[in-house]
Amino acid sequence: MRPAIRTARATWAVGAALLAVLLAVLLAGLLGAVLTGCGGPAPLLRDEGPPVAPSAPARSGPVYAAGDAGQPLERPDALPLGDTARLTGLRWKSWGGPTAVAAGGLVGDWCAPQCVRTPYQVTVTLSGLQRQRGFAYYSSAGVVAPEVHGAKAAELGRVSLHLPDVE
């Protein structure tokens, strides 16, 4: 019986040694994968695109709204809203940031003669800065006119402003 016990112990010792070697190889492989993964891209991955430049900071400079003939206006006292309406008597609370806010009046062909004699009181918010080299233009207006209702009120809620052709 002694030879059987020695054989069982020898088999167990060989199995334990083999298991220890397998665990060491597995641990070494795992450690190697972790360390090489932290060092950069895998050798099979390639970046074939051009280098990406960091985004440029927003340019500063004057901010305008386009007038009737596309002329640049800063804090205008009047501003066209398409071909049939005009903002008048504007008093700006803010200007030059992502939005500009003013109070004033609204006149237009669609509300004549009432609003021509007495403009509707409105609050206007300009937004959608379109930046160029050294300056920017507001590209949209939102007009709130408590006296205007329905489809016309919705239309005034988002008006595209004229943007002059600039380089």
Side-chain angles (χ1 to χ4, degrees):
M1 290 240 182
R2 283 213 177 250
I5 291 174
R6 267 192 215 155
T7 305
R9 283 185 187 162
T11 303
W12 185 84
V14 170
L18 185 57
L19 182 60
V21 169
L22 276 170
L23 284 174
V25 168
L26 183 62
L27 185 59
L30 183 61
L31 185 59
V34 168
L35 291 177
T36 58
C38 293
L44 296 177
L45 299 176
R46 293 189 319 233
D47 183 7
E48 296 182 0
V52 176
S55 61
R59 293 184 175 115
S60 60
V63 176
Y64 302 112
D68 289 317
Q71 75 273 23
L73 303 173
E74 283 186 272
R75 294 182 177 263
D77 61 352
L79 188 65
L81 291 180
D83 296 332
T84 62
R86 182 171 194 78
L87 297 169
T88 62
L90 296 173
R91 294 167 312 282
W92 294 96
K93 297 174 186 172
S94 65
W95 182 270
T99 60
V101 178
L106 173 69
V107 297
D109 295 344
W110 51 272
C111 61
Q114 298 89 350
C115 70
V116 174
R117 282 189 229 125
T118 306
Y120 293 147
Q121 293 302 301
V122 298
T123 300
V124 60
T125 302
L126 303 184
S127 60
L129 276 179
Q130 297 293 311
R131 296 214 174 264
Q132 304 294 327
R133 292 182 187 150
F135 59 92
Y137 276 88
Y138 289 110
S139 65
S140 64
V143 179
V144 176
E147 298 175 71
V148 180
H149 304 285
K152 193 49 135 175
E155 181 183 326
L156 290 170
R158 182 83 169 163
V159 178
S160 292
L161 298 176
H162 174 73
L163 291 174
D165 294 328
V166 292
E167 292 187 31

